[in-house]
Amino acid sequence: MQYVKYKVKSFGIAVDIIGERSTTIETDAVTVGELRSWLVKKYPELLELRSLFIAVNQNYADDNSDLRESDEIVLIPPVSGG
């Protein structure tokens, strides 16, 4: 099993859950879906969000999207506004 380091940025409530705006994680996840599963195991509070979008290289990504170590990964929780 080979582990990859990903830089992950968070916004909104995801910052509070993860504890920082930007972090590097090490995981064997190679798709967005596998990364999502890894994240909710490590940070179970993410499951309480109505939704959690994951963007890769400034584009929303579906769970089948492949990841590369150089990708910019961003967690985008539900947005509220007035």
Side-chain angles (χ1 to χ4, degrees):
M1 182 178 319
Q2 186 174 9
Y3 287 87
V4 180
K5 289 183 182 181
Y6 297 111
K7 291 182 183 175
V8 178
K9 295 180 184 179
S10 303
F11 289 98
I13 189 73
V15 174
D16 296 333
I17 293 170
I18 292 177
E20 50 196 330
R21 187 170 300 282
S22 182
T23 188
T24 300
I25 62 169
E26 195 169 339
T27 176
D28 61 345
V30 295
T31 66
V32 170
E34 290 173 355
L35 177 63
R36 183 186 306 276
S37 294
W38 186 92
L39 288 166
V40 298
K41 285 178 187 169
K42 182 158 174 90
Y43 307 102
E45 290 178 52
L46 291 173
L47 288 172
E48 298 173 19
L49 301 177
R50 261 184 306 124
S51 64
L52 179 66
F53 293 104
I54 297 178
V56 178
N57 300 325
Q58 301 180 357
N59 293 301
Y60 287 112
D62 65 29
D63 284 349
N64 295 320
S65 298
D66 292 328
L67 294 172
R68 288 178 223 59
E69 195 165 9
S70 61
D71 287 339
E72 176 187 66
I73 301 168
V74 180
L75 306 182
I76 306 169
V79 179
S80 63

CSV table of all heavy atoms in Angstrom, one decimal, residues 26-53:
chain,number,residue,atom,x,y,z
A,26,GLU,N,-1.8,12.4,4.7
A,26,GLU,CA,-1.2,11.3,4.0
A,26,GLU,C,-2.1,10.1,4.1
A,26,GLU,O,-2.6,9.7,5.1
A,26,GLU,CB,0.1,10.9,4.8
A,26,GLU,CG,1.0,10.0,4.0
A,26,GLU,CD,2.4,9.9,4.6
A,26,GLU,OE1,2.8,10.8,5.4
A,26,GLU,OE2,3.1,8.9,4.3
A,27,THR,N,-2.5,9.6,2.9
A,27,THR,CA,-3.5,8.5,2.8
A,27,THR,C,-3.2,7.7,1.5
A,27,THR,O,-2.4,8.1,0.7
A,27,THR,CB,-4.9,9.2,2.7
A,27,THR,OG1,-5.8,8.1,2.5
A,27,THR,CG2,-5.0,10.2,1.5
A,28,ASP,N,-3.8,6.6,1.5
A,28,ASP,CA,-3.7,5.7,0.3
A,28,ASP,C,-4.9,6.0,-0.7
A,28,ASP,O,-5.0,5.3,-1.7
A,28,ASP,CB,-3.7,4.2,0.7
A,28,ASP,CG,-4.9,3.7,1.4
A,28,ASP,OD1,-5.7,4.6,1.9
A,28,ASP,OD2,-5.0,2.5,1.5
A,29,ALA,N,-5.7,7.0,-0.4
A,29,ALA,CA,-6.8,7.3,-1.3
A,29,ALA,C,-6.3,7.8,-2.7
A,29,ALA,O,-5.3,8.6,-2.8
A,29,ALA,CB,-7.6,8.4,-0.7
A,30,VAL,N,-6.9,7.3,-3.8
A,30,VAL,CA,-6.5,7.7,-5.1
A,30,VAL,C,-7.6,8.3,-5.9
A,30,VAL,O,-7.5,8.7,-7.0
A,30,VAL,CB,-5.8,6.5,-5.9
A,30,VAL,CG1,-4.5,6.1,-5.2
A,30,VAL,CG2,-6.8,5.3,-6.0
A,31,THR,N,-8.8,8.3,-5.3
A,31,THR,CA,-10.0,9.0,-5.9
A,31,THR,C,-10.6,9.9,-4.9
A,31,THR,O,-10.4,9.8,-3.7
A,31,THR,CB,-11.1,7.9,-6.4
A,31,THR,OG1,-11.6,7.3,-5.2
A,31,THR,CG2,-10.5,6.9,-7.3
A,32,VAL,N,-11.5,10.8,-5.4
A,32,VAL,CA,-12.2,11.7,-4.5
A,32,VAL,C,-13.1,11.0,-3.5
A,32,VAL,O,-13.1,11.3,-2.4
A,32,VAL,CB,-13.0,12.7,-5.4
A,32,VAL,CG1,-13.9,13.6,-4.5
A,32,VAL,CG2,-12.0,13.7,-6.2
A,33,GLY,N,-13.7,9.9,-4.0
A,33,GLY,CA,-14.6,9.1,-3.1
A,33,GLY,C,-13.8,8.5,-2.0
A,33,GLY,O,-14.2,8.5,-0.8
A,34,GLU,N,-12.6,7.9,-2.3
A,34,GLU,CA,-11.8,7.3,-1.3
A,34,GLU,C,-11.3,8.4,-0.3
A,34,GLU,O,-11.2,8.2,0.9
A,34,GLU,CB,-10.6,6.6,-1.9
A,34,GLU,CG,-11.0,5.4,-2.7
A,34,GLU,CD,-9.8,4.7,-3.4
A,34,GLU,OE1,-8.7,5.3,-3.5
A,34,GLU,OE2,-10.1,3.7,-4.0
A,35,LEU,N,-10.9,9.6,-0.8
A,35,LEU,CA,-10.5,10.7,0.0
A,35,LEU,C,-11.7,11.1,1.0
A,35,LEU,O,-11.5,11.3,2.2
A,35,LEU,CB,-10.0,11.9,-0.8
A,35,LEU,CG,-9.6,13.1,0.0
A,35,LEU,CD1,-8.4,12.8,0.9
A,35,LEU,CD2,-9.3,14.3,-0.9
A,36,ARG,N,-12.9,11.2,0.4
A,36,ARG,CA,-14.1,11.6,1.2
A,36,ARG,C,-14.3,10.6,2.3
A,36,ARG,O,-14.5,11.0,3.5
A,36,ARG,CB,-15.3,11.6,0.3
A,36,ARG,CG,-16.6,12.1,1.0
A,36,ARG,CD,-17.8,12.0,0.1
A,36,ARG,NE,-17.6,12.7,-1.1
A,36,ARG,CZ,-17.9,14.0,-1.3
A,36,ARG,NH1,-18.3,14.7,-0.3
A,36,ARG,NH2,-17.8,14.5,-2.5
A,37,SER,N,-14.1,9.3,2.0
A,37,SER,CA,-14.3,8.3,3.1
A,37,SER,C,-13.2,8.4,4.2
A,37,SER,O,-13.5,8.3,5.3
A,37,SER,CB,-14.2,6.9,2.5
A,37,SER,OG,-15.3,6.6,1.6
A,38,TRP,N,-12.0,8.6,3.7
A,38,TRP,CA,-10.9,8.8,4.7
A,38,TRP,C,-11.2,10.0,5.6
A,38,TRP,O,-11.0,10.0,6.8
A,38,TRP,CB,-9.6,9.0,3.9
A,38,TRP,CG,-8.4,9.1,4.8
A,38,TRP,CD1,-7.6,8.0,5.2
A,38,TRP,CD2,-7.8,10.2,5.4
A,38,TRP,NE1,-6.6,8.5,6.0
A,38,TRP,CE2,-6.7,9.8,6.2
A,38,TRP,CE3,-8.1,11.6,5.4
A,38,TRP,CZ2,-5.9,10.7,6.9
A,38,TRP,CZ3,-7.4,12.5,6.2
A,38,TRP,CH2,-6.3,12.0,6.9
A,39,LEU,N,-11.6,11.1,5.0
A,39,LEU,CA,-11.9,12.4,5.7
A,39,LEU,C,-13.0,12.2,6.8
A,39,LEU,O,-12.8,12.6,7.9
A,39,LEU,CB,-12.2,13.5,4.8
A,39,LEU,CG,-11.1,14.1,4.0
A,39,LEU,CD1,-11.6,15.0,2.8
A,39,LEU,CD2,-10.1,14.9,4.8
A,40,VAL,N,-14.1,11.5,6.4
A,40,VAL,CA,-15.2,11.3,7.4
A,40,VAL,C,-14.8,10.3,8.5
A,40,VAL,O,-15.3,10.4,9.6
A,40,VAL,CB,-16.5,11.0,6.7
A,40,VAL,CG1,-16.9,12.1,5.8
A,40,VAL,CG2,-16.5,9.6,6.0
A,41,LYS,N,-13.9,9.4,8.2
A,41,LYS,CA,-13.4,8.5,9.3
A,41,LYS,C,-12.5,9.3,10.3
A,41,LYS,O,-12.6,9.2,11.5
A,41,LYS,CB,-12.6,7.4,8.8
A,41,LYS,CG,-13.4,6.3,8.1
A,41,LYS,CD,-12.6,5.2,7.5
A,41,LYS,CE,-13.5,4.2,6.8
A,41,LYS,NZ,-12.7,3.3,6.0
A,42,LYS,N,-11.7,10.2,9.8
A,42,LYS,CA,-10.8,11.0,10.6
A,42,LYS,C,-11.6,12.2,11.3
A,42,LYS,O,-11.3,12.5,12.4
A,42,LYS,CB,-9.6,11.6,9.8
A,42,LYS,CG,-8.7,12.4,10.6
A,42,LYS,CD,-7.3,12.4,10.0
A,42,LYS,CE,-6.4,13.4,10.7
A,42,LYS,NZ,-5.6,12.7,11.8
A,43,TYR,N,-12.5,12.7,10.6
A,43,TYR,CA,-13.3,13.9,11.1
A,43,TYR,C,-14.8,13.6,11.0
A,43,TYR,O,-15.5,14.0,10.0
A,43,TYR,CB,-13.0,15.2,10.3
A,43,TYR,CG,-11.5,15.5,10.2
A,43,TYR,CD1,-10.8,15.2,9.0
A,43,TYR,CD2,-10.8,16.1,11.2
A,43,TYR,CE1,-9.4,15.5,9.0
A,43,TYR,CE2,-9.5,16.4,11.2
A,43,TYR,CZ,-8.8,16.1,10.0
A,43,TYR,OH,-7.4,16.4,10.0
A,44,PRO,N,-15.3,12.7,11.9
A,44,PRO,CA,-16.7,12.3,11.7
A,44,PRO,C,-17.8,13.4,11.7
A,44,PRO,O,-18.9,13.2,11.2
A,44,PRO,CB,-16.9,11.4,12.9
A,44,PRO,CG,-15.6,11.3,13.7
A,44,PRO,CD,-14.6,12.2,13.0
A,45,GLU,N,-17.4,14.6,12.3
A,45,GLU,CA,-18.3,15.7,12.2
A,45,GLU,C,-18.7,16.1,10.8
A,45,GLU,O,-19.7,16.8,10.6
A,45,GLU,CB,-17.8,16.9,13.0
A,45,GLU,CG,-17.7,16.7,14.5
A,45,GLU,CD,-17.1,17.9,15.2
A,45,GLU,OE1,-17.5,19.0,14.9
A,45,GLU,OE2,-16.1,17.7,15.9
A,46,LEU,N,-17.8,15.8,9.8
A,46,LEU,CA,-18.1,16.1,8.4
A,46,LEU,C,-19.4,15.5,8.0
A,46,LEU,O,-20.1,16.0,7.1
A,46,LEU,CB,-17.0,15.7,7.5
A,46,LEU,CG,-15.7,16.5,7.6
A,46,LEU,CD1,-14.6,15.9,6.8
A,46,LEU,CD2,-15.9,18.0,7.3
A,47,LEU,N,-19.8,14.3,8.6
A,47,LEU,CA,-21.0,13.6,8.2
A,47,LEU,C,-22.3,14.4,8.6
A,47,LEU,O,-23.3,14.2,8.0
A,47,LEU,CB,-21.1,12.3,8.9
A,47,LEU,CG,-20.1,11.2,8.4
A,47,LEU,CD1,-20.2,10.0,9.3
A,47,LEU,CD2,-20.5,10.9,6.9
A,48,GLU,N,-22.1,15.4,9.5
A,48,GLU,CA,-23.3,16.2,10.0
A,48,GLU,C,-23.6,17.3,9.0
A,48,GLU,O,-24.7,17.9,9.1
A,48,GLU,CB,-23.0,16.8,11.4
A,48,GLU,CG,-22.8,15.7,12.4
A,48,GLU,CD,-22.4,16.2,13.8
A,48,GLU,OE1,-22.6,17.4,14.0
A,48,GLU,OE2,-21.9,15.4,14.6
A,49,LEU,N,-22.7,17.6,8.1
A,49,LEU,CA,-23.0,18.6,7.1
A,49,LEU,C,-24.0,18.2,6.1
A,49,LEU,O,-24.1,17.0,5.7
A,49,LEU,CB,-21.7,19.0,6.3
A,49,LEU,CG,-20.5,19.5,7.2
A,49,LEU,CD1,-19.3,19.7,6.3
A,49,LEU,CD2,-20.9,20.7,8.0
A,50,ARG,N,-24.9,19.1,5.6
A,50,ARG,CA,-25.9,18.8,4.6
A,50,ARG,C,-25.2,18.3,3.3
A,50,ARG,O,-25.7,17.5,2.6
A,50,ARG,CB,-26.7,20.1,4.3
A,50,ARG,CG,-28.0,20.2,4.9
A,50,ARG,CD,-28.8,21.4,4.5
A,50,ARG,NE,-28.0,22.6,4.7
A,50,ARG,CZ,-27.8,23.5,3.7
A,50,ARG,NH1,-28.2,23.3,2.5
A,50,ARG,NH2,-27.1,24.6,4.0
A,51,SER,N,-24.1,18.9,3.0
A,51,SER,CA,-23.3,18.5,1.8
A,51,SER,C,-21.9,18.9,2.0
A,51,SER,O,-21.6,19.7,2.9
A,51,SER,CB,-23.9,19.2,0.6
A,51,SER,OG,-23.7,20.6,0.7
A,52,LEU,N,-21.0,18.3,1.3
A,52,LEU,CA,-19.6,18.6,1.3
A,52,LEU,C,-19.1,18.4,-0.1
A,52,LEU,O,-18.9,17.2,-0.6
A,52,LEU,CB,-18.8,17.8,2.3
A,52,LEU,CG,-17.3,18.0,2.3
A,52,LEU,CD1,-17.0,19.5,2.8
A,52,LEU,CD2,-16.6,17.0,3.2
A,53,PHE,N,-18.9,19.5,-0.8
A,53,PHE,CA,-18.3,19.4,-2.2
A,53,PHE,C,-16.8,19.3,-2.1
A,53,PHE,O,-16.2,19.9,-1.2
A,53,PHE,CB,-18.7,20.6,-3.0
A,53,PHE,CG,-20.2,20.6,-3.3
A,53,PHE,CD1,-21.1,21.5,-2.7
A,53,PHE,CD2,-20.7,19.7,-4.3
A,53,PHE,CE1,-22.4,21.5,-2.9
A,53,PHE,CE2,-22.1,19.7,-4.5
A,53,PHE,CZ,-22.9,20.6,-3.9
